[in-house]
Amino acid sequence: HCYVEAVKDVTGIAINSDWTSYQHVTDAGILQEVISKHRLADKLVIFKEVKQAFLEKLTARIALNSINQVGSCSAFLSYLKTRHDVVVSFATGGWYESAILKLASAGIDHSSILIASANDEISHNAIMIKAMKDYQGVVNKCSYFGDGHWHKLACQQLGINFIAVGNRVEHYQSVKDFSNYTQLMKYIGL
């Protein structure tokens, strides 16, 4: 809602909130498509203003209602950080600044985790590759936890093990939350 409102406030355009209708379901990708479709000038200014408006709206919403993490996410991340055979990074289609706001609101410690975002790349595939780049030569298998069809598709295209979280995506590897470590580690392959 905050994103749709921000785009409308800055550009006057009511965008489609069905994210599957966009080629790249990322904050930058959607905005780039809107700018291109409507032949808007001053792309850099629009990006800056939409991002600022979005962050202001998101900050205000979070002040009213904090974001809840998916069950046991922090505990599972802490567990993964203790393992010597696992490295953790985040690949988000959101802008870095909004990701940090959401993580902080949800009480998820991200201080030692690399975050690749829509600040870095437009497509989920490229964002995921960026999230893995620092670990090339170190990691021989990658798993991605996601809740969108675009996450599943990116994983299929990149040959990444996908684990669906929640009930928005149907997949043979699916969890409702992060509480069952045995199941999660089995899906990861450890």
Side-chain angles (χ1 to χ4, degrees):
H1 296 290
C2 294
Y3 186 87
V4 171
E5 290 172 10
V7 173
K8 174 84 170 162
D9 288 355
V10 172
T11 68
I13 298 167
I15 65 169
N16 185 354
S17 62
D18 174 7
W19 304 136
T20 61
S21 68
Y22 296 93
Q23 180 181 2
H24 300 296
V25 187
T26 66
D27 288 350
I30 293 168
L31 188 54
Q32 180 172 305
E33 194 170 326
V34 169
I35 289 169
S36 177
K37 178 181 177 183
H38 295 278
R39 295 187 171 105
L40 302 177
D42 299 323
K43 175 182 170 180
L44 294 177
V45 172
I46 292 170
F47 259 77
K48 181 180 176 187
E49 290 179 1
V50 167
K51 187 183 212 182
Q52 184 61 41
F54 174 58
L55 293 172
E56 288 171 5
K57 290 176 183 304
L58 184 60
T59 300
R61 290 266 170 98
I62 288 172
L64 295 173
N65 296 305
S66 64
I67 294 173
N68 296 319
Q69 64 178 269
V70 175
S72 302
C73 182
S74 287
F76 183 59
L77 282 170
S78 294
Y79 167 71
L80 290 177
K81 288 181 192 179
T82 67
R83 294 184 60 110
H84 300 291
D85 57 349
V86 174
V87 290
V88 177
S89 62
F90 290 139
T92 176
W95 281 310
Y96 177 82
E97 297 85 353
S98 59
I100 296 302
L101 283 171
K102 293 173 188 177
L103 289 167
S105 177
I108 297 173
D109 177 21
H110 62 279
S111 59
S112 63
I113 300 174
L114 177 139
I115 301 173
S117 70
N119 287 33
D120 304 308
E121 302 288 347
I122 297 260
S123 75
H124 265 288
N125 293 37
I127 292 167
M128 292 167 79
I129 290 167
K130 170 110 172 84
M132 295 183 296
K133 190 173 182 177
D134 287 353
Y135 303 117
Q136 287 177 349
V138 177
V139 174
N140 59 14
K141 183 179 180 190
C142 182
S143 294
Y144 185 90
F145 293 90
D147 67 349
H149 295 285
W150 46 91
H151 300 137
K152 181 178 177 179
L153 179 60
C155 287
Q156 288 171 340
Q157 292 170 345
L158 295 171
I160 294 172
N161 180 41
F162 177 71
I163 299 129
V165 180
N167 59 7
R168 292 183 7 183
V169 179
E170 202 171 297
H171 191 61
Y172 71 97
Q173 293 185 138
S174 181
V175 295
K176 66 177 178 136
D177 59 30
F178 296 95
S179 60
N180 186 340
Y181 292 12
T182 304
Q183 186 67 52
L184 292 164
M185 297 310 287
K186 178 182 172 189
Y187 285 161
I188 290 173
L190 297 174

